Amino acid sequence: MVVDRDQDWAFCLRVLSQSVRDSPAAASEDASDTAVLEAVRRVYALCREDESGELAARVYPHIVKVFQRFNSSGSAIRPTHGLTLLAILQYFLDYGESVLHDSDPSLLQFFRSSLSRLYADPAVAKATLEFLNHNKTKLLLFHPALLPQFFPLLFKIIAWGDEKLDGEFMQLLPAMIGPSSFLALFSALLDLPTLVLALENLEKRAGTLISVTGAAARKDPAPEALLAFMDEAYTGGVGGGEAESGDEGESTSSDETDALFADRLKDENEGLTERHWAFPGMAAALQVAAGSTQSTRLKHSIQVAPTLLQIYFDVALRDVNDSLTCALLPLLFGRVEAMFPDKEFCSEARKKCIQFTLSAFKQSPHFIAVLKKPIMDRIGQTYTTVTKAELGLQLCWAVGEYGGGGSVHKDAAREIFESLETFLFENLSSCSKAAAHRDTIVRTPGAMAPGTPAQTRLLCFVVTAITKLATWHRELSPRARVCLAKVARSHQVVDKALWRRARDYLGLMREPAVCSSILGSSLGNRIHPTNLQWKEGETKAVANIPFYLLGEKEGPPFHDFSLSDAITAAA
């Protein structure tokens, strides 16, 4: 057995040495490539059996030469080369410390020179994902920047592959999330169907799936995009989202689509990209590019993208720091409506985005105080679509539920309250004008016209948010009563549901203890003596006597009956 192993070892070394000395013509034969692959795998297996580490040191010079030879193949690289390089990378990761080899340059070389050309091959794609998952712990410990840097290239694997790769990719996705890739990953996930279109367009135009980065021809937009994003996140400004004067403002849908495709086809993470979705005709342009019949790959991306988005959000809530999560929310607000124009995809993706927004506010209510300007901009915007209206409603609910950021953020809560107050009065004024000119008003399809059920629903949310803010922050109670009284007096021009809600809240605010129990958040005032925990109702004694009759009463009971009388009468 020892003799057979020595012969096997010697044969493998001869194959590796011969592959390095072969001319390019000889090295191009498939049989030779397969022999080298099997030799590398067999040598690695023998090194695993050798506890002394001597074999790993002896084979190292041969392995390095083969790695450099295959990595420099350029356009002549073949799938067998990629599989061989992955086997060699496994050797480097396991024995790099003992043979004094730095694996980081080798990993970078493989991604840039080999995987960028071979990602479309099913065997290489599958082997790459299996290799990365197998070594995920080592990569996160010793090469933490690798996966966040090359996640766009890995996205090409899942975009061009089939459902067989979904499981491996989902396991790997959390490892791609890092400080440098967190924000860019969100856009990449929403644009996964767009990436499929970009790859199909590249194959149709160039006859190849090897993209040429435009970094040399175009200025890197990342710094400008980052500054524009920060401006929107903390001041509510539109930043770089609007088209500027000059040639940029005259771009066509084809130009914008090509620019978006170019950004999605990049192999490495360059941070935040240009805001192509600010172009008003982007969705229509992508619809034209997709055609009337969706390809199999496009259907697959539409199906898998929401699941990947959910994994991303789960990791964000569990592992990502507050600064990055808070910075993600304004970006999310802008992308809720800017998605690939597929009904099923938009519905699922928007649902998960809104769920994440509410979960983030529940986990960190102070985000509302930090992002008060972009939040109020979304609530007060013109609701031309159902998506904008739904986002505004959910943000309005969160503002009230979490007290504008909590009891310690009184200044932010006051600013939010004033914005809601102004928004309410403006809409009441529009309702009055609509009532006075009911016969002449023109309804715009999709818009939230005065007096419509959509506006009534929004104003009900606003009235609730105002009352809840006043419940959190008692100094706002007088102003809240004025708002509610104005709505209650406008019963001739507002919907009956809104009028009834304002009247009920106005009466409820006369009993602070009851108001706190009903409208107080279960997060902020959990231990307050007047805040009832409704979920504990099954374990508490109950009676037919309304609890608010006993609220804020001291001394002896003011009634002349006992609970036993009520129980006997009921029986």
Side-chain angles (χ1 to χ4, degrees):
M1 183 66 68
V2 175
V3 175
D4 292 342
R5 188 178 65 177
D6 291 342
Q7 291 177 350
D8 199 7
W9 174 263
F11 175 76
C12 291
L13 290 185
R14 286 197 300 272
V15 172
L16 296 179
S17 300
Q18 183 66 31
S19 68
V20 175
R21 293 194 298 267
D22 280 342
S23 63
S28 65
E29 298 178 0
D30 292 340
S32 174
D33 293 343
T34 304
V36 174
L37 174 60
E38 294 300 326
V40 171
R41 289 175 174 174
R42 181 55 183 160
V43 165
Y44 175 77
L46 293 174
C47 290
R48 298 288 292 178
E49 296 175 1
D50 178 34
E51 298 180 357
S52 65
E54 179 183 354
L55 296 182
R58 288 172 54 189
V59 78
Y60 174 70
H62 303 276
I63 290 289
V64 171
K65 292 179 181 178
V66 174
F67 184 83
Q68 295 298 334
R69 173 70 179 268
F70 281 6
N71 241 329
S72 59
S73 299
S75 60
I77 195 168
R78 292 184 298 279
T80 315
H81 294 171
L83 298 176
T84 304
L85 291 172
L86 286 171
I88 294 176
L89 286 175
Q90 187 64 62
Y91 166 85
F92 287 157
L93 290 177
D94 290 344
Y95 299 103
E97 185 175 354
S98 61
V99 299
L100 302 179
H101 180 86
D102 184 7
S103 302
D104 199 58
S106 300
L107 290 167
L108 294 176
Q109 192 175 5
F110 168 75
F111 274 87
R112 288 171 175 163
S113 302
S114 302
L115 187 60
S116 61
R117 296 176 178 273
L118 298 174
Y119 67 87
D121 181 80
V124 175
K126 184 174 184 294
T128 300
L129 292 179
E130 291 176 347
F131 167 80
L132 295 175
N133 274 313
H134 178 71
N135 298 281
K136 185 163 52 177
T137 302
K138 290 182 180 179
L139 294 175
L140 291 175
L141 288 175
F142 303 109
H143 311 279
L146 180 71
L147 295 179
Q149 180 179 354
F150 288 98
F151 82 81
L153 180 56
L154 297 175
F155 267 57
K156 290 184 179 180
I157 291 179
I158 193 65
W160 200 252
D162 53 25
E163 62 275 2
K164 296 179 181 178
L165 302 178
D166 291 352
E168 292 285 347
F169 190 86
M170 290 177 187
Q171 294 181 32
L172 188 62
L173 180 60
M176 303 181 199
I177 301 176
S180 62
S181 64
F182 179 67
L183 298 178
L185 255 172
F186 172 70
S187 297
L189 286 168
L190 285 182
D191 287 340
L192 184 59
T194 305
L195 174 59
V196 174
L197 284 184
L199 290 171
E200 292 176 346
N201 181 69
L202 178 64
E203 184 185 42
K204 182 179 179 180
R205 287 187 177 183
T208 178
L209 288 172
I210 303 174
S211 60
V212 179
T213 179
R218 302 170 57 204
K219 186 180 71 171
D220 182 9
E224 290 80 0
L226 178 59
L227 291 175
F229 172 73
M230 292 174 62
D231 175 67
E232 178 175 349
Y234 297 104
T235 67
V238 296
E242 299 290 339
E244 297 178 2
S245 59
D247 295 338
E248 293 183 4
E250 301 174 358
S251 60
T252 64
S253 60
S254 178
D255 295 336
E256 291 294 337
T257 304
D258 290 343
L260 176 60
F261 285 175
D263 276 334
R264 288 291 134 228
L265 288 173
K266 292 177 180 178
D267 291 336
E268 298 185 41
N269 174 28
E270 296 183 0
L272 293 172
T273 59
E274 294 184 51
R275 299 192 169 188
H276 306 290
W277 283 98
F279 181 70
M282 180 59 70
L286 291 180
Q287 187 67 59
V288 173
S292 58
T293 304
Q294 295 180 347
S295 65
T296 303
R297 291 188 177 92
L298 184 57
K299 292 179 180 178
H300 170 247
S301 66
I302 289 173
Q303 182 180 6
V304 74
T307 303
L308 298 175
L309 194 63
Q310 185 62 56
I311 295 174
Y312 170 84
F313 286 148
D314 291 342
V315 174
L317 292 173
R318 184 182 67 244
D319 300 330
V320 177
N321 62 57
D322 283 357
S323 298
L324 287 175
T325 305
C326 187
L328 172 64
L329 291 174
L331 179 62
L332 184 150
F333 298 162
R335 287 302 307 267
V336 163
E337 194 178 21
M339 296 184 184
F340 183 80
D342 178 83
K343 184 177 181 181
E344 180 181 354
F345 170 74
C346 290
S347 176
E348 288 296 320
R350 286 167 182 164
K351 179 180 178 181
K352 295 186 182 300
C353 286
I354 290 178
Q355 287 176 345
F356 167 75
T357 300
L358 298 180
S359 298
F361 286 146
K362 180 178 181 179
Q363 181 173 292
S364 303
H366 63 277
F367 287 173
I368 297 176
V370 177
L371 301 175
K372 59 182 181 295
K373 189 63 171 65
I375 288 175
M376 291 312 305
D377 286 345
R378 296 297 171 180
I379 294 176
Q381 66 183 332
T382 302
Y383 295 108
T384 56
T385 64
V386 176
T387 303
K388 289 182 178 180
E390 188 62 28
L391 177 62
L393 290 175
Q394 298 297 335
L395 292 176
C396 191
W397 179 88
V399 164
E401 178 67 13
Y402 305 119
S407 56
V408 298
H409 297 281
K410 293 188 177 298
D411 291 339
R414 178 181 49 79
E415 294 180 25
I416 294 174
F417 182 92
E418 291 173 351
S419 299
L420 291 174
E421 184 182 47
T422 302
F423 181 77
L424 177 63
F425 289 161
E426 289 176 351
N427 278 267
L428 289 178
S429 176
S430 66
C431 289
S432 299
K433 293 179 181 178
H437 305 84
R438 197 179 303 275
D439 297 333
T440 59
I441 188 170
V442 178
R443 306 286 186 183
T444 302
M448 185 177 292
T452 60
Q455 189 198 41
T456 299
R457 183 167 178 247
L458 172 63
L459 293 183
C460 285
F461 273 69
V462 171
V463 165
T464 303
I466 287 175
T467 310
K468 285 190 172 185
L469 284 173
T471 304
W472 273 84
H473 307 276
R474 295 294 177 85
E475 66 275 8
L476 299 176
S477 295
R479 297 179 62 174
R481 291 191 181 95
V482 173
C483 292
L484 296 175
K486 187 174 180 62
V487 177
R489 289 194 300 267
S490 305
H491 61 277
Q492 295 180 350
V493 298
V494 300
D495 188 87
K496 186 176 181 180
L498 175 60
W499 169 76
R500 185 186 300 113
R501 178 167 297 198
R503 186 192 61 179
D504 292 345
Y505 286 162
L506 191 60
L508 196 60
M509 290 189 70
R510 296 192 180 98
E511 298 288 346
V514 179
C515 191
S516 177
S517 298
I518 296 177
L519 297 178
S521 172
S522 59
L523 295 180
N525 297 319
R526 187 182 301 272
I527 61 175
H528 195 280
T530 63
N531 190 21
L532 298 183
Q533 301 299 314
W534 300 103
K535 65 181 180 179
E536 300 175 358
E538 296 179 357
T539 62
K540 303 296 183 181
V542 296
N544 293 328
I545 302 175
F547 69 91
Y548 58 83
L549 294 179
L550 309 177
E552 298 184 345
K553 300 296 182 181
E554 298 181 358
F558 62 92
H559 51 77
D560 58 355
F561 58 86
S562 65
L563 291 179
S564 60
D565 296 333
I567 296 173
T568 302

